[in-house]
């Protein structure tokens, strides 16, 4: 089986965008919020939005299942207050639940959280619990920077985040550390901001004792870990200078990188430096880079090809990366898949 | 000749630190500033600070010349106001001038700038001019984030920076885009902040028309370009999606990466994706990662070894990277070297 652990619903029905635009405008103008009941998204529209996109690409690329969450850049935790974020988050998560219900063999849900600038992460516990226990999701996207580009939240290793980690551990779900759209003109959402958040998060984690406090906590750093594999020697050196062990030991069974790296030399490097046990297959299709590489003739984000072609991976490594590691990192995945497959047949 | 384009004076005499501590305390306490005249740094102390460090490593590693600037993390543009930054900057630049005067064959100067949060870059023009025309320096370190970690300055492509670029072009000097110490607890100075600033800067540049406005402007992105080479496919794809040409064409004769990447697979990747014309040899010794790699037995930051061993570089590439590109990117370097060598003999 080939499990893509990083897909966002980026082809949502139009009316979702209409709602969000109205909600954002109401925040700005301090007028009445649009009503959730006004949202019109039929099952047919949802089907149509996926058939020519994610589902088509799954078939073409030979992947089986996408771990699917709301559009990351759309989470917009910097827009409005906590109540705005909660309303929007529940709508987005419910929409993912509808996707999963329509295509139980193709998608498994991961939730967005109702984070908000300056608001304690413990306030996201209830929605996490709802998504996991009621919607059947298997993980969450945790935003380390709800400001949308200014990196002014406490580090992920700060006690500020602990009540949320406690609930994650209790529910046995991992988080993908993923920022949202950038409102800071100095950073480009998918070009620099995403990668910078990834690099920031990794660095916060490796000098901390977070995983002593939460030995079973699992965090996925997307986009191949940002700058980390390219600078593996720098991070190794900094860790060793700080009397920490080798990075491979630090990341252990707690930190994982995905394979959203859109060229062969990048994946080759990942294969060389990151243990295969800590790599999860992912493409982030349909996402940051939608085009076809004019040099290769293939989609930039068709990352399966790079993994298939990377000499640094053995077949055993590939099995881990495509399937086994996902089952390990998302402990609820196996049951969720069985349940959804039973429903589908 | 082997020219290391990225060295900072990180082994400064003690009294410099005493002065800076007093200056920082005076800013905080709103008391009188320490006097510049109080600074006691003898030539012998300066010699001693270098003989067992940068000079020893030059000899051991077989490099000839280091393009040398004040400690990057020490620039501290977020500390105090513009007058504090100017005082500190002049002291640091004058100290580099003393180093260069003591070892004219080993070092060429690059200046720090008196940037300050929210202050227009044009205010740094006078100190740039002083450093180039009076001190004989060949370039500057330009800080894209004088806030020290919040990335809240206008992008480098904004007109805000133009008066400074005009002076750079007039003087024919490049800038290394280099942030300083991080006061944001979410980012680690040398582990994530430096790399994030590099990635941010590159992304700002590639979608802009900055080099149409300044065809001869030369910018060096240090630390191997941050996350950029590892995500070359992502950046290529984003550029192409935005109707920009191939990255190699965009970077042209304007954007250069250094080789401060502290492991072989990283340099191998750099060799694969970045044109050799756009790579400058650098080690940033004695800098972010001071230790010896227990696996290789060599210093992490002995980057010459990685370049020597990278199969992706031809001997012609190596000549460019070690020497020719530096001469090209720092147009004043050749004359400055000749002048200093004449002085030395």
């Amino acid at each position: 089986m080939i499990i893509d652990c990083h897909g966002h619903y980026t082809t949502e029905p139009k009316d979702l965008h209409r709602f969000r635009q109205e909600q954002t405008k109401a925040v700005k103008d301090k007028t009445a919020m649009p009503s959730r009941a006004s949202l019109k998204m039929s099952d047919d529209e949802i089907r149509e939005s996926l058939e020519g996109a994610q589902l088509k690409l799954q078939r073409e690329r030979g992947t089986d299942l996408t771990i699917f969450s709301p559009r990351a850049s759309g989470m917009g935790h910097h827009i409005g207050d906590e109540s705005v974020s909660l309303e929007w988050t529940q709508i987005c998560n419910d929409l993912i639940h509808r996707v999963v219900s329509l295509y139980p063999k193709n998608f498994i849900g991961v939730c967005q959280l109702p984070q908000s600038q300056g608001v304690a992460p413990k306030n996201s516990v209830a929605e996490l619990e709802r998504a996991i226990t009621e919607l059947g999701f298997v993980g969450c996207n945790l935003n380390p920077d709800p400001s949308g580009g200014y990196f002014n939240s406490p580090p992920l290793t700060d006690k500020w985040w602990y009540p949320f980690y406690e609930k994650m551990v209790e529910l046995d779900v991992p988080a993908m550390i993923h920022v949202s759209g950038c409102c800071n003109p100095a950073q480009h959402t998918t070009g620099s901001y995403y990668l910078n958040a990834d690099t920031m998060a990794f660095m916060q984690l490796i000098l901390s004792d977070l995983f002593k406090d939460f030995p079973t906590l699992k965090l996925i750093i997307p986009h191949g870990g940002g700058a980390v594999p390219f600078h593996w020697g720098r991070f190794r050196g900094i860790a060793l200078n700080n009397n920490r062990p080798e990075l491979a030991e630090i990341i252990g069974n707690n930190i994982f990188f995905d394979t959203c790296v859109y060229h062969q030399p990048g994946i080759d490097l990942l294969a060389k430096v990151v243990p295969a046990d800590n790599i999860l297959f992912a493409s982030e299709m349909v996402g940051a880079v939608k085009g076809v590489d004019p040099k290769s003739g293939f989609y930039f984000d068709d990352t399966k090809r790079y993994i298939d072609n990377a000499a640094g991976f053995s077949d055993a490594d590939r099995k881990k990366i495509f399937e086994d590691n996902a089952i390990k990192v998302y402990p609820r995945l196996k049951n969720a898949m069985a349940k959804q497959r039973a429903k589908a047949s």
Side-chain angles (χ1 to χ4, degrees), chain A:
Chain A
M1 242 192 115
I2 295 185
I3 302 169
D4 182 341
C5 82
H6 189 174
H8 303 294
Y9 192 13
T10 51
T11 54
E12 319 95 320
K14 266 188 207 161
D15 206 46
L16 187 76
H17 293 286
R18 187 269 312 160
F19 177 91
R20 182 58 166 171
Q21 274 161 19
E22 287 183 17
Q23 194 193 38
T24 303
K25 192 167 185 310
V27 165
K28 201 181 149 204
D29 299 347
K30 293 181 183 149
T31 54
M33 292 289 156
S35 106
R36 199 190 289 203
S38 73
L39 268 166
K40 300 234 177 319
M41 304 182 286
S42 68
D43 283 356
D44 277 350
E45 259 183 294
I46 294 174
R47 282 192 197 96
E48 204 181 321
S49 75
L50 296 161
E51 288 287 354
Q54 289 84 356
L55 290 168
K56 178 170 168 274
L57 294 172
Q58 279 186 354
R59 281 190 303 269
E60 285 177 7
R61 300 180 185 181
T63 63
D64 299 298
L65 179 81
T66 302
I67 298 182
F68 208 54
S69 60
R71 184 193 288 260
S73 65
M75 299 188 296
H77 295 124
H78 59 284
I79 294 170
D81 63 11
E82 197 181 355
S83 71
V84 169
S85 179
L86 180 61
E87 172 91 343
W88 173 237
T89 295
Q90 290 185 335
I91 289 169
C92 292
N93 288 339
D94 287 347
L95 182 58
I96 295 296
H97 183 241
R98 288 180 65 191
V99 167
V100 170
S101 301
L102 288 171
Y103 298 99
K105 281 184 167 174
N106 300 92
F107 298 104
I108 295 265
V110 152
C111 70
Q112 165 177 334
L113 296 166
Q115 295 176 256
S116 189
Q117 266 198 85
V119 172
K122 71 165 182 249
N123 291 21
S124 289
V125 160
E127 180 63 7
L128 176 69
E129 192 146 35
R130 185 182 82 91
I132 306 302
T133 60
E134 294 179 28
L135 306 183
F137 288 8
V138 299
C140 62
N141 291 332
L142 183 63
N143 185 345
D145 177 31
S147 77
Y150 297 94
F151 294 137
N152 53 14
S153 286
L156 291 167
T157 52
D158 192 280
K159 297 271 193 294
W160 170 257
W161 302 91
Y162 274 31
F164 187 78
Y165 298 146
E166 282 162 19
K167 181 56 71 175
M168 281 176 58
V169 166
E170 183 196 316
L171 293 169
D172 215 5
V173 293
M176 179 172 281
I177 305 300
H178 204 309
V179 288
S180 184
C182 190
C183 62
N184 175 351
Q187 295 189 83
H188 180 282
T189 296
T190 54
S192 53
Y193 181 46
Y194 281 9
L195 305 178
N196 288 353
D198 304 336
T199 308
M200 175 186 80
F202 183 79
M203 190 61 218
Q204 290 171 356
L205 298 172
I206 64 169
L207 296 187
S208 84
D209 288 325
L210 179 64
F211 302 114
K212 281 192 184 149
D213 291 341
F214 297 99
T216 62
L217 185 68
K218 290 181 176 63
L219 302 176
I220 301 144
I221 307 196
H223 321 110
V228 173
F230 181 50
H231 286 284
W232 198 250
R234 170 176 283 255
F235 290 96
R236 272 188 70 218
I238 292 175
L240 294 171
N241 283 353
N242 283 278
N243 300 312
R244 298 273 163 178
E246 286 286 341
L247 289 185
E249 187 180 330
I250 292 176
I251 65 179
N253 205 20
N254 301 109
I255 301 177
F256 302 87
F257 295 143
D258 80 11
T259 63
C260 293
V261 177
Y262 297 152
H263 63 150
Q264 189 66 51
I267 293 289
D268 290 345
L269 174 72
L270 194 73
K272 264 186 216 159
V273 301
V274 177
D277 287 332
N278 296 76
I279 300 175
L280 298 179
F281 170 62
S283 72
E284 208 178 354
M285 68 166 188
V286 179
V289 182
K290 293 192 187 69
V292 167
D293 181 345
K295 289 191 179 165
S296 74
F298 293 93
Y299 282 101
F300 281 106
D301 66 4
D302 186 358
T303 54
K304 181 170 172 294
R305 292 182 59 253
Y306 310 134
I307 296 163
D308 287 340
N309 294 334
F313 289 134
S314 66
D315 285 346
D317 291 339
R318 283 189 193 90
K319 181 154 186 320
K320 287 179 183 174
I321 292 165
F322 285 134
E323 180 176 4
D324 299 350
N325 292 345
I327 301 287
K328 173 180 76 178
V329 174
Y330 297 84
R332 287 172 170 264
L333 181 58
K334 209 171 174 179
N335 275 347
M337 285 196 304
K339 213 182 268 183
Q340 290 187 196
R341 279 173 182 265
K343 213 160 122 189
S345 60

